[in-house]
Amino acid sequence: MEAAQDVKGWRMALPESVRPYTESAPLAAFFLGISSGFPYAMIGATLTTRLAQDGIDKKAVTAFSLAFLVYNLKWLWAWVVDGVHIPLLGRLGQRVSWLLLAGVFVIAAVANLAFVNPQTSLLETAYAAVLVGIAGATFDIVIDAYRIEILKPRQLGVGSGMVQYGWRIGSVAAGGLALVLAARIGWQGAYLACAMFALPAMLTGLVMGEPPRHREPSEKRGLAEVWESIAGPLVEFFKRRGAFLVLLFILLHKIGDTLANLTFRLLFDDLGYTNDEIAIYDIGFGFWAYLAGIFIGGILYSRMGMKRSVLLSLVLMAVSNFSFAALAAAGHSNWGMAGAIGFENFASGIGGVTVVAYFSALCDLRFTAAQYAMISAAASIVGRFLTGTTAGGLIEAFGYVNFYLLTTLAAVPGIILFWLMMRAGLIDSSVGSAGMENGNGNAG
């Protein structure tokens, strides 16, 4: 009793803007994020470095990036996490049991990648990398559903920020640890050690227990109920007023931002920045600006409400694209680069919190895993599959200044659409039970 009072007293002594980050559910989201981020690192820069050090051809190395495509397909099997109960382990609860099973799957997949030899069989290594992608995507499905369901609607903004803090730390820490250990005990030992990054999410599930807001799709498990698990998430979403406009916003809102982000390193190279300058301003300064943006985003979401904070973040992300048009026009300037990359990362941090919180609030608690998987896939698919093929050609055709002005204009339709949805009351009507207190309320 005294311990609980001490904790409460300690929390009350903190600034009001900091207190929401110390609540149990947002702290749990942080540990979930750590485990969510590490599989991505294992098949990203870490695997690229391993293959390069093993003397693998550069074309073969870059082909391994296809393993990331699995993350865009996770919606295909996300319904399983909502609708299939695990024997015996399921007694711990639907979400906790899947969190443990998916965690074991990730550990096994990373261990499998540790034991393959790229020099002996590149094909086996490719299969192992794809398996890590499938395991990591499945882990993400469960983690996202668990995060949304342990957070109360008022905590969605702060919780989205905390999971992103965790993701960044998990991916950077795992990637860094792998490099350090590989130089001392080899890649096999490094990968086996990094597999333990799955434990924070698994332990969080055991400590926090089954989310009180979790809702079962149905009580029985016949063919009709299985079909409901598959089709139910889509049917439920499109029954809402303005659902097609919401989907259009999800698809369009990041086109300008994604177009711009793909080309920053090309701009820096053409402006004559050295590797040291890029490391200091882009990686170093930008990283801390992003973390600051995440923190401010959580505060804005709590203070301004969902609708106004999302609208503000959309405007800020559009303006950040314009700042690179100014940098391109000014030429090589360290202060200009610091300002542009700092503002871009700060705006992205805010937008990452508020927009992810809105997307989380769109979920129906009966289909949290499936609906969030579909929403997150839709949010990235246009940027990854369409804009990535046009950015270079647009720069060659128009030049950097006009290109970044174009990306600023490309962000405007998303801003206008969201504003019109606000005016028409479609934001409130689009929110699912995850964004409502006890199934009632509005978007705020």
Side-chain angles (χ1 to χ4, degrees):
M1 185 71 177
E2 290 182 3
Q5 290 177 341
D6 289 341
V7 171
K8 185 177 180 180
W10 171 76
R11 287 188 63 252
M12 293 303 294
L14 294 171
E16 186 178 350
S17 60
V18 177
R19 288 177 206 162
Y21 289 92
T22 64
E23 295 174 355
S24 59
L27 286 174
F30 172 77
F31 291 106
L32 292 171
I34 290 175
S35 294
S36 175
F38 100 91
Y40 207 82
M42 294 297 95
I43 57 175
T46 302
L47 182 58
T48 299
T49 302
R50 179 186 180 184
L51 294 171
Q53 290 180 357
D54 284 343
I56 306 301
D57 180 73
K58 287 183 174 62
K59 291 182 179 179
V61 170
T62 56
F64 273 77
S65 63
L66 293 173
F68 291 118
L69 292 178
V70 176
Y71 280 84
N72 288 97
L73 301 175
K74 61 186 179 182
W75 56 273
L76 290 173
W77 69 91
W79 64 270
V80 176
V81 174
D82 279 329
V84 176
H85 288 269
I86 302 171
L88 298 179
L89 197 60
R91 295 177 181 177
L92 294 174
Q94 182 74 359
R95 294 295 180 230
V96 174
S97 60
W98 269 100
L99 199 59
L100 296 176
L101 181 64
V104 171
F105 183 23
V106 167
I107 292 173
V110 172
N112 179 59
L113 183 59
F115 285 110
V116 297
N117 188 341
Q119 293 176 320
T120 303
S121 177
L122 199 59
L123 185 60
E124 285 186 11
T125 306
Y127 287 150
V130 171
L131 186 63
V132 173
I134 294 172
T138 304
F139 210 17
D140 265 7
I141 292 169
V142 188
I143 285 173
D144 285 331
Y146 191 85
R147 166 183 61 84
I148 292 168
E149 291 175 356
I150 62 171
L151 295 167
K152 297 176 182 177
R154 65 173 179 81
Q155 297 174 317
L156 286 174
V158 171
S160 297
M162 289 295 272
V163 80
Q164 290 187 61
Y165 275 132
W167 198 98
R168 282 281 177 141
I169 291 172
S171 59
V172 171
L177 179 64
L179 291 175
V180 171
L181 291 179
R184 290 160 176 79
I185 62 175
W187 283 106
Q188 189 175 99
Y191 268 83
L192 291 175
C194 288
M196 295 302 102
F197 275 85
L199 294 179
M202 299 168 71
L203 293 174
T204 296
L206 290 173
V207 171
M208 296 292 291
E210 188 71 359
R213 297 211 302 155
H214 176 65
R215 301 289 182 269
E216 293 290 337
S218 60
E219 295 182 1
K220 298 180 180 179
R221 294 294 161 202
L223 288 177
E225 286 71 30
V226 172
W227 174 246
E228 181 190 358
S229 296
I230 300 173
L234 273 173
V235 172
E236 190 282 328
F237 181 83
F238 284 106
K239 279 183 177 179
R240 302 179 200 174
R241 178 171 168 257
F244 285 97
L245 285 177
V246 174
L247 177 60
L248 182 62
F249 170 74
I250 293 170
L251 291 169
L252 295 180
H253 81 285
K254 283 202 72 175
I255 288 182
D257 197 51
T258 304
L259 264 173
N261 273 273
L262 287 168
T263 63
F264 291 157
R265 291 296 175 88
L266 295 176
L267 172 66
F268 298 155
D269 184 64
D270 285 348
L271 290 181
Y273 286 100
T274 66
N275 287 346
D276 287 346
E277 288 171 332
I278 293 173
I280 292 171
Y281 297 108
D282 185 14
I283 300 174
F285 190 75
F287 175 76
W288 292 106
Y290 183 78
L291 295 186
I294 291 174
F295 180 76
I296 298 300
I299 296 174
L300 291 176
Y301 188 90
S302 299
R303 300 284 179 84
M304 299 178 66
M306 181 177 69
K307 290 175 288 190
R308 289 188 297 165
S309 65
V310 170
L311 183 63
L312 175 62
S313 68
L314 294 173
V315 173
L316 289 175
M317 287 190 287
V319 174
S320 72
N321 289 352
F322 181 79
S323 68
F324 281 93
L327 176 63
H332 189 126
S333 166
N334 286 344
W335 284 109
M337 183 184 186
I341 204 68
F343 185 73
E344 195 280 331
N345 277 273
F346 183 73
S348 293
I350 293 175
V353 170
T354 58
V355 175
V356 168
Y358 171 51
F359 290 167
S360 301
L362 289 173
C363 296
D364 185 298
L365 291 170
R366 295 171 299 167
F367 311 111
T368 313
Q371 286 188 341
Y372 192 80
M374 289 187 291
I375 291 168
S376 61
S380 62
I381 195 167
V382 173
R384 289 184 181 179
F385 289 99
L386 296 180
T387 60
T389 61
T390 59
L394 289 172
I395 290 173
E396 291 180 357
F398 301 113
Y400 281 110
V401 175
N402 289 332
F403 170 76
Y404 287 117
L405 291 176
L406 181 64
T407 64
T408 304
L409 291 175
V412 173
I415 298 171
I416 294 175
L417 179 58
F418 192 82
W419 178 75
L420 291 174
M421 288 163 58
M422 285 177 59
R423 294 289 300 270
L426 296 181
I427 303 299
D428 291 324
S429 61
S430 69
V431 169
S433 54
M436 303 177 184
E437 294 284 357
N438 300 319
N440 300 298
N442 54 54

